[in-house]
Amino acid sequence: MRTNLRMAGLALAAFATAWSGFSQATEIPKSAEVQQTGMLAVANTLDYAPFEYLDADGKQTGIIIELAGEVAKLVGAKLDIQRTPFPSMIPGLAAGRFKIAWETFSATPERLKQVDFVMFLKAGLAVSTSPDKKAGFSGDTPLCGKRIGVSAGSASDFLVDKLSKECADKGQAAIEKSVFNSSTDIVQAVLSDRVDARMDDATASSYFEVTSKGQLIVLPTLYDVAPLGLAIAKDDKGTADMMVAALAELFKNGAYKAVLEKYGMGAYAIKEPYFVNSMDALRAD
C-alpha cells in the first residue's frame, strides 16, 4: 500500500512538473493596454474575404478574425474588433488611436517610417486553371505558350509581359495575354475555354478555389512572393512582444495551420511570425 501511495505521489509530482512546464511554455506577455482593460482591441476593415467579413448571420469571421480570437484567448482578454477604413489604419496607429491594425500589410519604406510590423503570412501572384487543364502546366516554364487572362493594369498584367519575354529568350512560345476588366470576367473566360488560365492575387485565387468547390484550381508556383503582417505603433515593444509570442504559440499548437487550411490558404503559411522595424528585417520565407 505504501509502495502504491509512493508511486502515486511520484506520478502526481511528475504530472505537476510537466503541467508547470506546459504553462510556462504557453504564457504570453501582455501589453500594458491588455493588462489594464482586459480587452484585445484590433482595428480591422471587415470587408476583405477571406481575411475578414460578415457571414450570412452578420457574424464577424475570416482568417484574421479567427486568429485574433485565438490570440485573445491566449492572453485572457476579450476581443474587440474596431471597424476601420484601410487608409485610416496606419495614420490611426501613428496618432495613438489604437495599438494593433490587423490586415495583410506589406512592409514598405514609407510605412516603416510610421509603424512596425509582425509578419504572419506570405502572398503573391498565382495561376489557376480548370482541373482538366492542370496537367498541361508542367516543367520549369509552365506558362510558355499558354493563354493567360489578367486584370488590366494589375501586377499580373505586368508580370505576364515579363514572363513572356523570358519564354521568348529561352526559345519557347510566348505567353498569349488577354486583358480583362475584372476578376469575374477572367474566371468566366477560363471556364468557357477562351483562355487557359487566370493569373491573379494568390489569396483571392485560393479563396475562389474553395468557394467554387474546385471549378478552378491554383497551381503550386507562387510569383512575386512577399511577407504580409499586422501593424503596430512604432517602438511599441509591449504590443510587439505580445503579438509575436502569441502568434508563435498558434504556430506551435496547430491553430494557425488549421485556420489557414479552413479557408484554403495553407500554401501561404510562413515558418514563424517575426518582428519587422526596417526593410532589412524582412525574410524570404
Side-chain angles (χ1 to χ4, degrees), residues 51 63 67 102-107 117-124 203 222 224-230 243-261 265-276 281-285:
F51 296 103
I63 292 172
L67 290 178
W102 201 334
E103 279 295 343
T104 51
F105 287 103
S106 298
F117 295 98
V118 176
M119 296 306 182
F120 70 98
L121 199 67
K122 66 182 177 184
T203 52
L222 284 178
D224 286 356
V225 179
L228 302 173
L230 61 90
M243 295 308 296
V244 171
L247 283 168
E249 179 59 28
L250 297 186
F251 277 54
K252 180 181 175 182
N253 69 19
Y256 170 78
K257 181 180 180 181
V259 169
L260 291 189
E261 290 186 346
M265 298 291 167
Y268 312 116
I270 60 175
K271 296 176 182 177
E272 61 182 359
Y274 62 97
F275 176 71
V276 169
L282 288 173
R283 303 178 189 174
D285 63 350

Side-chain angles (χ1 to χ4, degrees), residues 45-82:
T45 64
L46 275 181
D47 59 3
Y48 185 47
F51 296 103
E52 60 270 336
Y53 61 97
L54 298 178
D55 65 16
D57 298 322
K59 181 182 177 183
Q60 299 170 348
T61 191
I63 292 172
I64 287 173
I65 304 303
E66 291 199 30
L67 290 178
E70 293 295 330
V71 170
K73 291 177 187 177
L74 287 175
V75 298
K78 181 179 179 181
L79 179 63
D80 177 22
I81 299 295
Q82 301 177 352

Side-chain angles (χ1 to χ4, degrees), residues 35-263:
Q35 291 183 49
Q36 293 167 7
T37 67
M39 306 285 287
L40 179 70
V42 174
N44 179 269
T45 64
L46 275 181
D47 59 3
Y48 185 47
F51 296 103
E52 60 270 336
Y53 61 97
L54 298 178
D55 65 16
D57 298 322
K59 181 182 177 183
Q60 299 170 348
T61 191
I63 292 172
I64 287 173
I65 304 303
E66 291 199 30
L67 290 178
E70 293 295 330
V71 170
K73 291 177 187 177
L74 287 175
V75 298
K78 181 179 179 181
L79 179 63
D80 177 22
I81 299 295
Q82 301 177 352
R83 192 163 193 177
T84 308
F86 187 83
S88 301
M89 287 188 166
I90 288 180
L93 282 169
R97 290 197 291 273
F98 39 79
K99 299 291 186 181
I100 301 168
W102 201 334
E103 279 295 343
T104 51
F105 287 103
S106 298
T108 66
E110 293 75 20
R111 287 173 173 170
L112 282 165
K113 291 176 183 177
Q114 303 178 72
V115 299
D116 295 329
F117 295 98
V118 176
M119 296 306 182
F120 70 98
L121 199 67
K122 66 182 177 184
L125 301 175
V127 174
S128 51
T129 189
S130 54
D132 60 301
K133 290 185 177 180
K134 178 182 178 182
F137 290 82
S138 59
D140 296 332
T141 53
L143 305 187
C144 294
K146 298 294 193 298
R147 301 170 298 165
I148 306 298
V150 299
S151 293
S154 66
S156 299
D157 191 352
F158 300 109
L159 178 60
V160 165
D161 289 340
K162 177 184 174 183
L163 294 175
S164 186
K165 183 179 183 303
E166 291 176 2
C167 290
D169 290 344
K170 294 177 181 179
Q172 299 185 39
I175 297 171
E176 184 181 330
K177 182 178 75 172
S178 295
V179 181
F180 297 85
N181 290 325
S182 72
S183 294
T184 301
D185 292 340
I186 309 173
V187 168
Q188 291 304 317
V190 179
L191 295 176
S192 62
D193 195 34
R194 286 180 285 141
V195 297
D196 297 314
R198 158 201 186 193
M199 179 181 278
D200 206 339
D201 177 78
T203 52
S205 298
S206 291
Y207 187 58
F208 181 78
E209 178 178 344
V210 172
T211 56
S212 72
K213 296 180 169 46
Q215 287 187 348
L216 296 184
I217 55 176
V218 179
L219 301 178
T221 301
L222 284 178
Y223 302 88
D224 286 356
V225 179
L228 302 173
L230 61 90
I232 57 177
K234 201 73 182 171
D235 300 322
D236 183 354
K237 187 176 186 302
T239 301
D241 289 348
M242 176 181 70
M243 295 308 296
V244 171
L247 283 168
E249 179 59 28
L250 297 186
F251 277 54
K252 180 181 175 182
N253 69 19
Y256 170 78
K257 181 180 180 181
V259 169
L260 291 189
E261 290 186 346
K262 174 181 176 181
Y263 292 91

